[in-house]
Amino acid sequence: MLSALIRALLMPCDALVSEIVALRRELAVLKCGVPRGTIRTRDCLWCVALLACALRLAGSLYPLFSAYDIRLNVGRLLGLLGGILVDTNESFEFRGGTAIYPAGPYLALVPGLLLGLAPAPLVQAGIALLDGLSVLATGLLARRLGLAPRAALIATLVAAIVPIGLTSLYYGHTAQIFGQALMPPLALALLRAYQRNRWRDWLAA
């Protein structure tokens, strides 16, 4: 049951990977008549995503920068290593009410500890990288929905520079960043399920 649950949770990411694989196939057949405008658009989407990652990493790893909630995030990461899978805390956003923080985002960051990274920069760099890569999924979703290449590029640029996303990085809102980063892959998974109309795809999405 656990393996089935993990597969279901990874299906949105699988949809994103499928889109990237399709993109690479298009690049591989460039000499076989693929329009050069399409290839340039795909390259631009990749460039915007990489620039978004570089921008976020530069700010997050700046020596004098420390996310507002970095102490809480590091504590939850270390607590996860100690076996705490569900963490609760009083949140001022809910007028002092109890908020539940899932372990998923921190579980995704744990492998970085094997590389010898300190917890604080690991958390900040991890969420920055994820937030930057998510703009690629936004562009892929726009293209899958039938938008023009220029419209998809504009959507990717907007996702890369929208201030509210950078504000989440400033505060270190890991749950929000992971959630919003998974929305475009989830939309791709739902769209693929709609197009294929198979119950397994719907269940996974």
Side-chain angles (χ1 to χ4, degrees), residues 175-204:
Q176 289 87 337
I177 291 173
F178 268 78
Q180 67 192 24
L182 290 176
M183 288 300 101
L186 176 60
L188 285 171
L190 290 172
L191 184 59
R192 185 174 66 171
Y194 173 77
Q195 293 173 340
R196 294 184 177 182
N197 197 23
R198 297 189 307 185
W199 69 270
R200 287 180 298 180
D201 293 325
W202 282 112
L203 181 62

Side-chain angles (χ1 to χ4, degrees), residues 15 22-23 37 45 57 61 87 89 174 178 200 205:
L23 183 154
L45 295 180
L57 285 173
L61 297 179
D87 189 18
N89 188 33
T174 55
F178 268 78
R200 287 180 298 180

Side-chain angles (χ1 to χ4, degrees), residues 10-22 133-134 136-138 140-141 181 184-186 188-189 192:
L10 291 179
M11 278 304 297
C13 297
D14 178 64
L16 176 59
V17 171
S18 298
E19 292 295 324
I20 295 175
V21 170
L133 289 175
S134 68
L136 175 62
T138 301
L140 293 175
L141 178 61
L186 176 60
L188 285 171
R192 185 174 66 171

Side-chain angles (χ1 to χ4, degrees), residues 19-20 22-30 34-52 135-136 139-140 143 149-150 152-154 156-157:
E19 292 295 324
I20 295 175
L23 183 154
R24 295 187 64 181
R25 288 176 179 172
E26 290 185 9
L27 293 176
V29 296
L30 174 60
V34 176
R36 293 185 178 274
T38 300
I39 298 301
R40 285 198 295 269
T41 301
R42 301 296 190 179
D43 289 342
C44 287
L45 295 180
W46 274 105
C47 289
V48 171
L50 293 177
L51 288 175
V135 305
L136 175 62
L140 293 175
R143 291 293 290 143
R150 180 175 297 181
L153 181 58
I154 292 175
T156 307
L157 285 170

Side-chain angles (χ1 to χ4, degrees), residues 52-191:
C53 291
L55 173 65
R56 287 156 172 76
L57 285 173
S60 298
L61 297 179
Y62 184 69
L64 300 181
F65 173 74
S66 180
Y68 185 81
D69 286 343
I70 189 62
R71 181 181 59 85
L72 296 175
N73 290 326
V74 170
R76 292 167 189 152
L77 176 62
L78 298 179
L80 175 64
L81 297 178
I84 301 177
L85 299 180
V86 179
D87 189 18
T88 60
N89 188 33
E90 293 183 357
S91 176
F92 71 90
E93 291 94 339
F94 298 100
R95 301 182 63 181
T98 301
I100 300 176
Y101 296 90
Y106 306 102
L107 186 62
L109 297 174
V110 166
L113 296 174
L114 300 177
L115 302 177
L117 300 176
L122 170 62
V123 172
Q124 294 185 164
I127 60 178
L129 187 62
L130 178 67
D131 189 64
L133 289 175
S134 68
V135 305
L136 175 62
T138 301
L140 293 175
L141 178 61
R143 291 293 290 143
R144 177 53 68 93
L145 289 173
L147 272 68
R150 180 175 297 181
L153 181 58
I154 292 175
T156 307
L157 285 170
V158 170
I161 63 176
V162 63
I164 192 63
L166 301 178
T167 302
S168 297
L169 290 174
Y170 168 77
Y171 283 103
H173 292 161
T174 55
Q176 289 87 337
I177 291 173
F178 268 78
Q180 67 192 24
L182 290 176
M183 288 300 101
L186 176 60
L188 285 171
L190 290 172
L191 184 59

